[in-house]
Amino acid sequence: PPTHFALPGFTACRARAACQASHFAPLFSSCVGGTRDKAYEWVEPKTCNETSAGAVLLPPSENAIPCEWCLPGSARDGGDGKCSVCGEGGYSGGHGVACTSCPRGNHAVRAVFFPVMAALPPGFSTGCEGGCSGSGGWRAVAPPSAGGRDSLDPGSDHADGADVWLQYRVEVGAFAAVSFRVEASDTCGGDGAGLWVTIDDEEPTNLCGTRSR
């Protein structure tokens, strides 16, 4: 029935829950003249019911909103296009500040930050195998009140046993550090569920039970 859904691999239909902000995602146009447009679309396949009590509807589109701020260490050339990492010996505090050369006697520490994720950042790849929903992997879901948030989630309504992965490749020098924060409370709720992290092809570590790391 229309009030239920089933994904490939399901053995029974599931009731469609009332639509929430996690069931839609923002879409941004290219940055032109310092502004961009923003719209929302349902994550496919749509597994929620927008007519249920308490359902959240798609927010209206927004036009000519400011382009996202570039992250520290990067800048946008001429106010258009994508943010690019500063060249060797250059630095930027982000937030629209152009890259400049380091003063004599200083050096630019090579670092990459992802404090806000209104979309999957460049360099990240994701996917899903085994009874996956239409999100196709990890995603950034922006509540209408925030326009972005500082985390990603692995999608929703996957079948039991689905394997959702997220990968970021980065080349580092002899001395480097990588830090991240993971909230695993929902991921660890079922039998066989796990949140596995692998760095440099080492033995995977299951973060379930640690709450965060």
Side-chain angles (χ1 to χ4, degrees), residues 105-198:
N106 297 270
H107 73 283
V109 177
R110 307 300 292 176
V112 180
F113 301 91
F114 301 103
V116 176
M117 293 186 175
L120 199 67
F124 280 77
S125 57
T126 185
C128 182
E129 297 179 356
C132 306
S133 72
S135 61
W138 287 71
R139 62 185 182 177
V141 181
S145 60
R149 73 189 216 188
D150 59 357
S151 62
L152 304 173
D153 71 30
S156 62
D157 299 318
H158 299 302
D160 294 339
D163 183 11
V164 190
W165 55 267
L166 176 71
Q167 179 175 268
Y168 179 67
R169 291 189 177 273
V170 59
E171 295 183 6
V172 299
F175 302 97
V178 177
S179 64
F180 57 91
R181 180 175 178 82
V182 177
E183 295 291 343
S185 57
D186 293 334
T187 308
C188 303
D191 293 338
L195 184 62
W196 300 88
V197 174
T198 302

Side-chain angles (χ1 to χ4, degrees), residues 49-63:
N49 188 345
E50 59 187 292
T51 62
S52 296
V56 177
L57 302 180
L58 285 179
S61 300
E62 303 174 52
N63 298 321

Side-chain angles (χ1 to χ4, degrees), residues 9-177:
F10 282 17
T11 58
C13 294
R14 296 182 182 179
R16 295 180 183 270
C19 292
Q20 303 299 320
S22 61
H23 290 105
F24 56 78
L27 294 175
F28 295 96
S29 66
S30 300
C31 180
V32 177
T35 64
R36 56 182 178 162
D37 297 332
K38 179 180 181 181
Y40 294 87
E41 69 172 6
W42 296 110
V43 174
E44 295 292 342
K46 185 180 176 184
T47 58
C48 65
N49 188 345
E50 59 187 292
T51 62
S52 296
V56 177
L57 302 180
L58 285 179
S61 300
E62 303 174 52
N63 298 321
I65 63 175
C67 296
E68 79 280 13
W69 281 345
C70 294
L71 300 175
S74 63
R76 183 179 291 108
D77 185 18
D80 292 338
K82 298 180 179 180
C83 298
S84 301
V85 176
C86 297
E88 192 69 29
Y91 75 99
S92 169
H95 305 292
V97 179
C99 295
T100 56
S101 298
C102 286
R104 180 174 297 181
N106 297 270
H107 73 283
V109 177
R110 307 300 292 176
V112 180
F113 301 91
F114 301 103
V116 176
M117 293 186 175
L120 199 67
F124 280 77
S125 57
T126 185
C128 182
E129 297 179 356
C132 306
S133 72
S135 61
W138 287 71
R139 62 185 182 177
V141 181
S145 60
R149 73 189 216 188
D150 59 357
S151 62
L152 304 173
D153 71 30
S156 62
D157 299 318
H158 299 302
D160 294 339
D163 183 11
V164 190
W165 55 267
L166 176 71
Q167 179 175 268
Y168 179 67
R169 291 189 177 273
V170 59
E171 295 183 6
V172 299
F175 302 97

